[in-house]
PDB file of all heavy atoms in Angstrom:
ATOM      1  N   MET C   1    -139.388-106.194-100.512  1.00 80.00           N
ATOM      2  CA  MET C   1    -140.268-106.420 -99.380  1.00 80.00           C
ATOM      3  C   MET C   1    -139.538-106.445 -98.174  1.00 80.00           C
ATOM      4  O   MET C   1    -139.117-107.411 -97.558  1.00 80.00           O
ATOM      5  CB  MET C   1    -140.888-107.814 -99.547  1.00 80.00           C
ATOM      6  CG  MET C   1    -141.797-107.950-100.786  1.00 80.00           C
ATOM      7  SD  MET C   1    -143.157-106.881-100.969  1.00 80.00           S
ATOM      8  CE  MET C   1    -144.406-107.980-100.492  1.00 80.00           C
ATOM      9  N   LYS C 114    -126.605-108.198 -91.376  1.00 96.00           N
ATOM     10  CA  LYS C 114    -127.621-108.066 -92.457  1.00 96.00           C
ATOM     11  C   LYS C 114    -127.270-106.736 -93.336  1.00 96.00           C
ATOM     12  O   LYS C 114    -127.347-106.728 -94.519  1.00 96.00           O
ATOM     13  CB  LYS C 114    -129.041-107.947 -91.883  1.00 96.00           C
ATOM     14  CG  LYS C 114    -130.082-107.926 -93.052  1.00 96.00           C
ATOM     15  CD  LYS C 114    -131.461-107.946 -92.414  1.00 96.00           C
ATOM     16  CE  LYS C 114    -132.539-108.073 -93.496  1.00 96.00           C
ATOM     17  NZ  LYS C 114    -132.501-109.399 -94.150  1.00 96.00           N
ATOM     18  N   ASP C 204    -131.398-107.937 -62.803  1.00 96.00           N
ATOM     19  CA  ASP C 204    -131.905-109.151 -63.795  1.00 96.00           C
ATOM     20  C   ASP C 204    -133.117-108.739 -64.373  1.00 96.00           C
ATOM     21  O   ASP C 204    -133.857-107.698 -64.131  1.00 96.00           O
ATOM     22  CB  ASP C 204    -131.730-110.307 -63.092  1.00 96.00           C
ATOM     23  CG  ASP C 204    -131.257-111.494 -63.941  1.00 96.00           C
ATOM     24  OD1 ASP C 204    -131.455-111.432 -65.208  1.00 96.00           O
ATOM     25  OD2 ASP C 204    -130.643-112.370 -63.384  1.00 96.00           O
ATOM     26  N   ASP C 227    -153.842-117.721 -95.038  1.00 98.00           N
ATOM     27  CA  ASP C 227    -154.174-116.503 -94.206  1.00 98.00           C
ATOM     28  C   ASP C 227    -155.276-116.842 -93.149  1.00 98.00           C
ATOM     29  O   ASP C 227    -156.214-116.037 -92.975  1.00 98.00           O
ATOM     30  CB  ASP C 227    -154.511-115.253 -95.070  1.00 98.00           C
ATOM     31  CG  ASP C 227    -153.281-114.830 -95.802  1.00 98.00           C
ATOM     32  OD1 ASP C 227    -152.184-115.325 -95.735  1.00 98.00           O
ATOM     33  OD2 ASP C 227    -153.548-114.005 -96.707  1.00 98.00           O
ATOM     34  N   ASP C 232    -152.625-115.418 -89.036  1.00 98.00           N
ATOM     35  CA  ASP C 232    -152.293-113.932 -89.026  1.00 98.00           C
ATOM     36  C   ASP C 232    -152.210-113.416 -87.676  1.00 98.00           C
ATOM     37  O   ASP C 232    -151.360-112.497 -87.362  1.00 98.00           O
ATOM     38  CB  ASP C 232    -153.398-113.182 -89.840  1.00 98.00           C
ATOM     39  CG  ASP C 232    -153.117-113.397 -91.374  1.00 98.00           C
ATOM     40  OD1 ASP C 232    -152.051-113.783 -91.858  1.00 98.00           O
ATOM     41  OD2 ASP C 232    -153.915-112.943 -92.176  1.00 98.00           O
ATOM     42  N   LYS C 235    -148.655-114.532 -86.542  1.00 98.00           N
ATOM     43  CA  LYS C 235    -147.593-113.716 -87.068  1.00 98.00           C
ATOM     44  C   LYS C 235    -147.600-112.404 -86.363  1.00 98.00           C
ATOM     45  O   LYS C 235    -146.445-111.873 -86.193  1.00 98.00           O
ATOM     46  CB  LYS C 235    -147.784-113.559 -88.522  1.00 98.00           C
ATOM     47  CG  LYS C 235    -146.823-112.611 -89.164  1.00 98.00           C
ATOM     48  CD  LYS C 235    -146.610-112.656 -90.593  1.00 98.00           C
ATOM     49  CE  LYS C 235    -145.692-111.477 -91.017  1.00 98.00           C
ATOM     50  NZ  LYS C 235    -145.268-111.585 -92.519  1.00 98.00           N
ATOM     51  N   SER C 260    -162.147-137.252 -79.254  1.00 96.00           N
ATOM     52  CA  SER C 260    -163.292-137.241 -78.480  1.00 96.00           C
ATOM     53  C   SER C 260    -163.524-136.312 -77.390  1.00 96.00           C
ATOM     54  O   SER C 260    -164.481-135.967 -77.015  1.00 96.00           O
ATOM     55  CB  SER C 260    -163.715-138.798 -78.052  1.00 96.00           C
ATOM     56  OG  SER C 260    -162.664-139.182 -77.263  1.00 96.00           O
ATOM     57  N   GLN C 265    -168.448-129.743 -79.551  1.00 96.00           N
ATOM     58  CA  GLN C 265    -169.801-130.108 -80.055  1.00 96.00           C
ATOM     59  C   GLN C 265    -170.763-128.804 -80.275  1.00 96.00           C
ATOM     60  O   GLN C 265    -170.741-127.966 -79.381  1.00 96.00           O
ATOM     61  CB  GLN C 265    -170.567-131.049 -79.078  1.00 96.00           C
ATOM     62  CG  GLN C 265    -169.610-132.251 -78.676  1.00 96.00           C
ATOM     63  CD  GLN C 265    -170.225-133.613 -79.076  1.00 96.00           C
ATOM     64  OE1 GLN C 265    -171.348-133.763 -79.319  1.00 96.00           O
ATOM     65  NE2 GLN C 265    -169.387-134.593 -79.088  1.00 96.00           N
ATOM     66  N   THR C 310    -119.966-111.464 -70.707  1.00 90.00           N
ATOM     67  CA  THR C 310    -118.964-111.501 -71.728  1.00 90.00           C
ATOM     68  C   THR C 310    -119.515-111.523 -73.041  1.00 90.00           C
ATOM     69  O   THR C 310    -120.589-112.170 -73.342  1.00 90.00           O
ATOM     70  CB  THR C 310    -118.154-112.775 -71.563  1.00 90.00           C
ATOM     71  OG1 THR C 310    -117.908-112.985 -70.195  1.00 90.00           O
ATOM     72  CG2 THR C 310    -116.875-112.799 -72.381  1.00 90.00           C
ATOM     73  N   ARG C 353    -161.294-107.749 -95.420  1.00 97.00           N
ATOM     74  CA  ARG C 353    -161.158-108.769 -96.424  1.00 97.00           C
ATOM     75  C   ARG C 353    -162.481-109.621 -96.619  1.00 97.00           C
ATOM     76  O   ARG C 353    -162.732-110.004 -97.715  1.00 97.00           O
ATOM     77  CB  ARG C 353    -160.089-109.712 -95.995  1.00 97.00           C
ATOM     78  CG  ARG C 353    -158.627-109.028 -96.032  1.00 97.00           C
ATOM     79  CD  ARG C 353    -157.539-109.898 -95.473  1.00 97.00           C
ATOM     80  NE  ARG C 353    -157.145-110.938 -96.431  1.00 97.00           N
ATOM     81  CZ  ARG C 353    -156.010-111.578 -96.313  1.00 97.00           C
ATOM     82  NH1 ARG C 353    -155.283-111.453 -95.302  1.00 97.00           N
ATOM     83  NH2 ARG C 353    -155.698-112.512 -97.158  1.00 97.00           N
ATOM     84  N   ASN C 354    -163.197-109.836 -95.610  1.00 96.00           N
ATOM     85  CA  ASN C 354    -164.388-110.724 -95.680  1.00 96.00           C
ATOM     86  C   ASN C 354    -165.527-109.993 -96.422  1.00 96.00           C
ATOM     87  O   ASN C 354    -166.270-110.517 -96.918  1.00 96.00           O
ATOM     88  CB  ASN C 354    -164.838-110.982 -94.219  1.00 96.00           C
ATOM     89  CG  ASN C 354    -165.704-112.111 -94.299  1.00 96.00           C
ATOM     90  OD1 ASN C 354    -165.509-113.202 -95.001  1.00 96.00           O
ATOM     91  ND2 ASN C 354    -166.817-112.060 -93.535  1.00 96.00           N
TER      92      ASN C 354
ATOM     93  N   MET D   1    -157.644-110.243-101.366  1.00 80.00           N
ATOM     94  CA  MET D   1    -156.655-110.994-100.776  1.00 80.00           C
ATOM     95  C   MET D   1    -157.280-112.303-100.196  1.00 80.00           C
ATOM     96  O   MET D   1    -157.537-112.260 -99.014  1.00 80.00           O
ATOM     97  CB  MET D   1    -155.995-110.217 -99.782  1.00 80.00           C
ATOM     98  CG  MET D   1    -155.361-108.961-100.295  1.00 80.00           C
ATOM     99  SD  MET D   1    -153.942-109.389-101.471  1.00 80.00           S
ATOM    100  CE  MET D   1    -152.624-109.033-100.432  1.00 80.00           C
ATOM    101  N   LYS D 114    -169.001-118.442 -93.969  1.00 96.00           N
ATOM    102  CA  LYS D 114    -168.233-117.338 -94.807  1.00 96.00           C
ATOM    103  C   LYS D 114    -168.681-117.283 -96.050  1.00 96.00           C
ATOM    104  O   LYS D 114    -168.850-116.206 -96.679  1.00 96.00           O
ATOM    105  CB  LYS D 114    -166.763-117.796 -94.714  1.00 96.00           C
ATOM    106  CG  LYS D 114    -165.830-116.832 -95.528  1.00 96.00           C
ATOM    107  CD  LYS D 114    -164.343-117.238 -95.257  1.00 96.00           C
ATOM    108  CE  LYS D 114    -163.609-116.019 -95.802  1.00 96.00           C
ATOM    109  NZ  LYS D 114    -163.456-115.013 -94.923  1.00 96.00           N
ATOM    110  N   ASP D 204    -160.745-143.399 -81.972  1.00 96.00           N
ATOM    111  CA  ASP D 204    -160.460-142.076 -81.689  1.00 96.00           C
ATOM    112  C   ASP D 204    -159.274-141.585 -82.255  1.00 96.00           C
ATOM    113  O   ASP D 204    -158.669-142.207 -83.139  1.00 96.00           O
ATOM    114  CB  ASP D 204    -160.340-142.067 -80.088  1.00 96.00           C
ATOM    115  CG  ASP D 204    -160.818-140.828 -79.403  1.00 96.00           C
ATOM    116  OD1 ASP D 204    -160.820-139.783 -80.036  1.00 96.00           O
ATOM    117  OD2 ASP D 204    -161.367-140.942 -78.253  1.00 96.00           O
ATOM    118  N   LYS D 228    -140.260-110.687 -89.432  1.00 98.00           N
ATOM    119  CA  LYS D 228    -139.260-111.394 -88.718  1.00 98.00           C
ATOM    120  C   LYS D 228    -139.238-112.795 -89.051  1.00 98.00           C
ATOM    121  O   LYS D 228    -140.215-113.340 -89.396  1.00 98.00           O
ATOM    122  CB  LYS D 228    -139.413-111.256 -87.222  1.00 98.00           C
ATOM    123  CG  LYS D 228    -139.299-109.822 -86.620  1.00 98.00           C
ATOM    124  CD  LYS D 228    -139.355-109.753 -85.098  1.00 98.00           C
ATOM    125  CE  LYS D 228    -138.913-108.437 -84.475  1.00 98.00           C
ATOM    126  NZ  LYS D 228    -139.955-107.346 -84.513  1.00 98.00           N
ATOM    127  N   ASP D 232    -142.500-115.220 -89.789  1.00 98.00           N
ATOM    128  CA  ASP D 232    -142.870-115.813 -90.983  1.00 98.00           C
ATOM    129  C   ASP D 232    -142.956-117.453 -90.831  1.00 98.00           C
ATOM    130  O   ASP D 232    -143.841-118.032 -91.424  1.00 98.00           O
ATOM    131  CB  ASP D 232    -142.010-115.495 -92.088  1.00 98.00           C
ATOM    132  CG  ASP D 232    -142.451-114.056 -92.649  1.00 98.00           C
ATOM    133  OD1 ASP D 232    -143.392-113.586 -92.344  1.00 98.00           O
ATOM    134  OD2 ASP D 232    -141.727-113.489 -93.584  1.00 98.00           O
ATOM    135  N   LYS D 235    -146.229-118.159 -88.956  1.00 98.00           N
ATOM    136  CA  LYS D 235    -147.321-118.096 -89.738  1.00 98.00           C
ATOM    137  C   LYS D 235    -147.409-119.332 -90.648  1.00 98.00           C
ATOM    138  O   LYS D 235    -148.483-119.884 -90.922  1.00 98.00           O
ATOM    139  CB  LYS D 235    -147.419-116.730 -90.618  1.00 98.00           C
ATOM    140  CG  LYS D 235    -148.467-116.811 -91.684  1.00 98.00           C
ATOM    141  CD  LYS D 235    -148.827-115.462 -92.215  1.00 98.00           C
ATOM    142  CE  LYS D 235    -149.822-115.749 -93.256  1.00 98.00           C
ATOM    143  NZ  LYS D 235    -150.523-114.489 -93.877  1.00 98.00           N
ATOM    144  N   SER D 260    -130.288-113.204 -67.159  1.00 96.00           N
ATOM    145  CA  SER D 260    -128.964-113.651 -67.085  1.00 96.00           C
ATOM    146  C   SER D 260    -128.725-115.111 -67.426  1.00 96.00           C
ATOM    147  O   SER D 260    -127.694-115.624 -67.802  1.00 96.00           O
ATOM    148  CB  SER D 260    -128.400-113.370 -65.605  1.00 96.00           C
ATOM    149  OG  SER D 260    -129.257-114.015 -64.699  1.00 96.00           O
ATOM    150  N   GLN D 265    -124.527-115.960 -74.808  1.00 96.00           N
ATOM    151  CA  GLN D 265    -123.238-115.153 -74.917  1.00 96.00           C
ATOM    152  C   GLN D 265    -122.483-115.465 -76.250  1.00 96.00           C
ATOM    153  O   GLN D 265    -122.390-116.615 -76.572  1.00 96.00           O
ATOM    154  CB  GLN D 265    -122.333-115.474 -73.712  1.00 96.00           C
ATOM    155  CG  GLN D 265    -123.164-115.348 -72.370  1.00 96.00           C
ATOM    156  CD  GLN D 265    -122.465-114.359 -71.358  1.00 96.00           C
ATOM    157  OE1 GLN D 265    -121.330-113.915 -71.548  1.00 96.00           O
ATOM    158  NE2 GLN D 265    -123.340-114.019 -70.413  1.00 96.00           N
ATOM    159  N   THR D 310    -172.831-135.723 -81.045  1.00 90.00           N
ATOM    160  CA  THR D 310    -174.007-134.921 -81.325  1.00 90.00           C
ATOM    161  C   THR D 310    -173.569-133.696 -82.000  1.00 90.00           C
ATOM    162  O   THR D 310    -172.454-133.001 -81.641  1.00 90.00           O
ATOM    163  CB  THR D 310    -174.630-134.523 -79.954  1.00 90.00           C
ATOM    164  OG1 THR D 310    -174.699-135.645 -79.105  1.00 90.00           O
ATOM    165  CG2 THR D 310    -176.094-133.926 -80.143  1.00 90.00           C
ATOM    166  N   ARG D 353    -135.230-112.363-100.584  1.00 97.00           N
ATOM    167  CA  ARG D 353    -135.545-111.129-100.099  1.00 97.00           C
ATOM    168  C   ARG D 353    -134.154-110.325 -99.573  1.00 97.00           C
ATOM    169  O   ARG D 353    -133.952-109.190 -99.855  1.00 97.00           O
ATOM    170  CB  ARG D 353    -136.562-111.071 -98.888  1.00 97.00           C
ATOM    171  CG  ARG D 353    -137.856-111.403 -99.338  1.00 97.00           C
ATOM    172  CD  ARG D 353    -138.813-111.660 -98.098  1.00 97.00           C
ATOM    173  NE  ARG D 353    -139.349-110.416 -97.570  1.00 97.00           N
ATOM    174  CZ  ARG D 353    -140.328-110.302 -96.809  1.00 97.00           C
ATOM    175  NH1 ARG D 353    -140.965-111.354 -96.428  1.00 97.00           N
ATOM    176  NH2 ARG D 353    -140.713-109.189 -96.351  1.00 97.00           N
ATOM    177  N   ASN D 354    -133.424-111.137 -98.950  1.00 96.00           N
ATOM    178  CA  ASN D 354    -132.153-110.562 -98.398  1.00 96.00           C
ATOM    179  C   ASN D 354    -131.152-110.255 -99.547  1.00 96.00           C
ATOM    180  O   ASN D 354    -130.259-109.386 -99.252  1.00 96.00           O
ATOM    181  CB  ASN D 354    -131.420-111.700 -97.571  1.00 96.00           C
ATOM    182  CG  ASN D 354    -130.499-111.025 -96.645  1.00 96.00           C
ATOM    183  OD1 ASN D 354    -130.644-110.033 -96.079  1.00 96.00           O
ATOM    184  ND2 ASN D 354    -129.220-111.676 -96.448  1.00 96.00           N
TER     185      ASN D 354
END
Side-chain angles (χ1 to χ4, degrees):
Chain C
M1 301 296 260
K114 185 174 190 69
D204 218 327
D227 297 351
D232 278 355
K235 173 164 175 169
S260 56
Q265 309 238 345
T310 314
R353 292 174 77 167
N354 198 42
Chain D
M1 298 296 259
K114 185 175 190 70
D204 218 327
K228 292 184 164 86
D232 278 354
K235 172 164 177 172
S260 57
Q265 310 239 343
T310 314
R353 292 173 78 167
N354 198 41

